[in-house]
Amino acid sequence: MKIAATSALTVVTALALSGCATTSSHHETKIVSDNYISEQRANLAASTAGKGFGPQSPRDIDSVEGSNPLVFNEAPAYTEMNLCNIHFHKNAEHKGGEFTTYAGNGDGHGFKSGYKYSGTLTAKELAPVAQEICPGEHGALSVGDTIEVHYVHSSAQIEPGPTLGSCLNEAIKNPQLRVETQVYVLVNDASALDFADVTKHGKVNGFYQALNIPNDTGTAIQYAGSTTGPSYNEVGSPFQVSWSVRPKVAKVDAKTVGAWCKGNTFDEDHAHGVRNLVVNPSLLSEIVR
């Protein structure tokens, strides 16, 4: 989730929930060691110690543990806010529910890491498709891949658009933010969900809304956190975000994801990297069930 500075807004650039890291081509990806990830987590702890950072994201939604003392007002329900941006990450940033299979340490900059759908798919669902799906610097998506979609909402009076700069305006530079989160798995099945449908948006009762977020994927886990993205692997995010993370995975037609990447309101054409899972209790809020 990236907030880009504009001439009208003096916020800092690249405040990422979908932060893009600069790494080498996916053909040259070097998988880092467990020690490398441990060092990143140690650096995160050191850089945030005693600084007053609020609770961070992403997290294990199956764990309620958290001892971060900073409390902020929960954002309103997304139906009372404006949808400002939709983007997605390859593999889930969060862990829990039906996405608990670790994809690996990846390159240390957010790619080839995160969590995958822990269920099973049929041979038919896993049959390859002919076209590339959302190709980018770090490779394309494939049938069987997991994505975490962030439907970002703002209390500011805005319209949906590219980057999180669309979540701010001149009147409110510190709006409340809420992210409705749905994890999907890509399948070769025309009867699965259409990505254009689950990202469709319009006005309802005066608010811009994502009209078809799945409502059959479990009760969303609500918690207080931050923006995410791999640019925050070793430093804290200063932004306060109310999260709603649905625990069940929905199947989406892979071809429709590819079609969406070829043109959408949000100028999204590839999957973003993931931030390391935050595990330090002092950087997590307590989840109240």
Side-chain angles (χ1 to χ4, degrees), residues 5 15 34 45 113 119 122 127 154 189 216 218:
L15 303 173
D34 291 347
S113 190
T122 68
S154 171
D189 184 356
D216 58 352

Side-chain angles (χ1 to χ4, degrees), residues 5 62 71 74 133 139 184 190-191 194 210 218 231 244-245 247 250 266 280-282:
D62 288 339
V71 177
E74 182 179 5
I133 305 169
Y184 297 91
S191 67
D194 185 322
S231 60
S244 302
V245 185
F266 312 101
N280 183 345
S282 67

Side-chain angles (χ1 to χ4, degrees), residues 81-98:
M81 304 176 76
N82 282 307
L83 175 76
C84 53
N85 182 260
I86 298 175
H87 64 270
F88 64 83
H89 302 253
K90 182 175 180 180
N91 298 323
E93 288 201 289
H94 290 84
K95 174 188 178 184
E98 294 183 340

Side-chain angles (χ1 to χ4, degrees), residues 122-199:
T122 68
K124 182 178 179 182
E125 288 174 325
L126 288 170
V129 296
Q131 65 266 43
E132 278 196 311
I133 305 169
C134 306
E137 179 186 355
H138 300 277
L141 295 175
S142 301
V143 170
D145 280 345
T146 299
I147 60 173
E148 179 173 307
V149 177
H150 292 165
Y151 301 85
V152 189
H153 297 75
S154 171
S155 60
Q157 185 175 318
I158 47 74
E159 295 182 0
T163 81
L164 287 202
S166 298
C167 300
L168 311 174
N169 67 13
E170 280 295 326
I172 302 178
K173 295 181 181 179
N174 63 337
Q176 289 179 291
L177 298 171
R178 174 175 288 283
V179 180
E180 296 295 316
T181 305
Q182 177 62 57
V183 176
Y184 297 91
V185 61
L186 277 62
V187 295
N188 186 350
D189 184 356
S191 67
L193 293 173
D194 185 322
F195 201 65
D197 188 48
V198 297
T199 57

Side-chain angles (χ1 to χ4, degrees), residues 40-49 54-60 65-68 276-285:
Q40 286 187 317
R41 289 193 168 120
N43 290 339
L44 175 63
S47 67
T48 55
Q56 300 290 295
S57 300
R59 65 171 297 156
D60 184 341
E65 183 180 16
S67 58
N68 187 278
N276 292 340
L277 197 73
V278 179
V279 297
N280 183 345
S282 67
L283 290 175
L284 295 173
S285 62

Side-chain angles (χ1 to χ4, degrees), residues 27-46:
H27 297 297
E28 303 170 359
T29 298
K30 180 180 178 181
I31 304 304
V32 300
S33 66
D34 291 347
N35 285 340
Y36 188 97
I37 300 300
S38 295
E39 289 176 5
Q40 286 187 317
R41 289 193 168 120
N43 290 339
L44 175 63

